[in-house]
Amino acid sequence: MKVTIMANSTIEQEQDFQQRADPYRRELLAHCYRMLGSIHDAEDLVQETYLRAWRSYGGFEGRSSLRTWLYRIATNCCLTAIDQRGHRPLPSGLGAPNGEPERPVVAAPEVPWLEPAPDAALAGDAADPATIVATRERTRLAFVAALQHLPPNQRVVLILRDVLKWRAAEVAELLETSTASVNSALQRARAQLRQAAPEEDAMVEPADPGQRRLLERYATLFERADIAGLVELFKEDAVWEMPPFPEWFVGRGTIARLIVAQCDPEPGELRLVPTAANGQPAFGLYRRGEDGVHRPYQIQVLTVTGEGIARGSVFFDPSLFPLFGLPETLPPA
């Protein structure tokens, strides 16, 4: 009888924990992604957070809210991961652009590169447009990349204060430090963030009809291998970067030369499937193999402004495709 009672008690406790904790899973994923710059690592750390929380749930005394408690566990998991793995840059954050696009590019797989995150994984409450807009703004690739330049503690403070709008006293409690220390770290983080992420042209909203037409034309020209027409959609000073390749390029003429020299696609060789990443338009690009089958090749995340495409961040990582809900292969066109 005693064993049965204990078993029932454990089941009830687990059900109670899941019911109370599960609503925070998506926002914790966004938090871990901003901290780590990797959607794969973020998913792993959220799982670790919930495992640790469940193991300690019996001793949770409610002196802080469950949400704050989960954030404390998640943040500590992230800080440990950063100590072990370092920060995740984009190529444009490492050095000067390459002015010779015809030279072979060499991958640097040893670098833990920044990863894009699917909108579907990080989206806010669909019933609250303000939440959706805020989430989109604070998961832009440029913003997440800039966060990676901050020391870990400053990164935590800036995310909690400026992104999640926590009070300084709440952050101090979570980090077990003083409010004055939190405010000082926030000032330093803001100053460094301004240097790492200078303001860019205003991005076009996803629902803008002009953006939809531009993206449709972009996909069509890519699939036709019309490189000259394609780069006319770019701003004159557009940026193109391609993790895991450390080289990056500036200028639509340079980008055109790069695509011709390094890829030189035939009409129909490439096919694009639209998706969304980091609150930005994106495509899953498939390349045709010798057997005629189109398979995952790269995820392209575009920064679109009123003047055209300002940046293309191209991730050569087929393991991202399942996270975006993209198929393993494409049927014949």
Side-chain angles (χ1 to χ4, degrees), residues 191-211:
Q192 189 165 338
L193 195 68
R194 284 192 293 268
Q195 293 180 347
E199 290 189 13
E200 300 178 342
D201 296 337
M203 294 175 62
V204 177
E205 286 299 308
D208 182 84
Q211 175 178 287

Side-chain angles (χ1 to χ4, degrees), residues 218-225 266-273:
Y218 177 89
T220 298
L221 292 171
F222 229 118
E223 293 179 351
R224 290 178 181 172
E266 301 176 353
E269 180 181 350
L270 305 175
R271 292 174 62 187
L272 282 73
V273 176

